[in-house]
Amino acid sequence: EDQVTQSPEALRLQEGESSSLNCSYTVSGLRGLFWYRQDPGKGPEFLFTLYSAGEEKEKERLKATLTKKESFLHITAPKPEDSATYLCAVHEYGNKLVFGAGTILRVKS
Amino acid sequence: KAGVTQTPRYLIKTRGQQVTLSCSPISGHRSVSWYQQTPGQGLQFLFEYFSETQRNKGNFPGRFSGRQFSNSRSEMNVSTLELGDSALYLCASSLDAGGDEQYFGPGTRLTVT
């Protein structure tokens, strides 16, 4: 069964054009939801952990939010260097980390 | 603080052979998890080790195995390689078992011919 679904699969933005990436999940007991950034040929880089609905975290141009069914990664005024694949992962109590397929973001100058 | 290191970075093997990949976690991290990443299946969990014990296992055949040493370094082994085993194998470390923040290494790119 699909526990983590990310949308869109790919997103093209102009530099400065803000947007959001979505991660919807279905787990019975959420221990944590994680966002990672992955550049081509490299391992994922940890960005955020969210634990409970209503929680928000920010880092530079990125802001992650969490509800009971989904998380959003908001990108404000993106730059070309924000281009990467953004991965969402869900950690269910007593279970392993399950990753979504990712959203490929391309920011053009 | 040094990050997670993985060796080798690239590997080419023939069907039927076996391979061993190595991972050194961040100093002080006691948990190591392994993942397989392919274009079609994305990132899939293989197993997690903590204090030299396998704590959790994904849905992979028994040809995939691993171990962890007393210094937290970990190895994974794939026996009787198949073409479908070609992938990027990623290792991630965290402070404790089921660790919330996992830090990934650069991966080992395995190509099976």
Side-chain angles (χ1 to χ4, degrees), chain B residues 13-113:
Chain B
K13 289 286 187 178
T14 305
R15 271 181 303 174
Q17 288 186 315
Q18 73 165 20
V19 66
T20 299
L21 311 181
S22 180
C23 171
S24 292
I26 292 172
S27 178
H29 284 195
R30 297 183 296 164
S31 175
V32 173
S33 297
W34 288 89
Y35 296 85
Q36 180 195 68
Q37 187 173 35
T38 59
Q41 298 297 319
L43 257 167
Q44 292 190 294
F45 173 78
L46 280 158
F47 26 65
E48 178 190 10
Y49 284 89
F50 178 77
S51 293
E52 302 177 65
T53 302
Q54 187 179 91
R55 188 176 172 276
N56 217 334
K57 190 178 189 308
N59 298 323
F60 279 83
R63 299 185 296 108
F64 292 81
S65 63
R67 59 177 175 168
Q68 186 181 34
F69 303 96
S70 58
N71 61 359
S72 294
R73 191 177 69 84
S74 177
E75 289 181 347
M76 69 162 281
N77 183 277
V78 188
S79 62
T80 319
L81 284 166
E82 301 177 359
L83 295 178
D85 296 334
S86 294
L88 181 67
Y89 289 89
L90 292 159
C91 161
S93 77
S94 58
L95 278 171
D96 293 307
D100 293 335
E101 295 180 14
Q102 294 190 6
Y103 294 88
F104 284 81
T108 294
R109 172 70 64 185
L110 172 65
T111 301
V112 182
T113 61

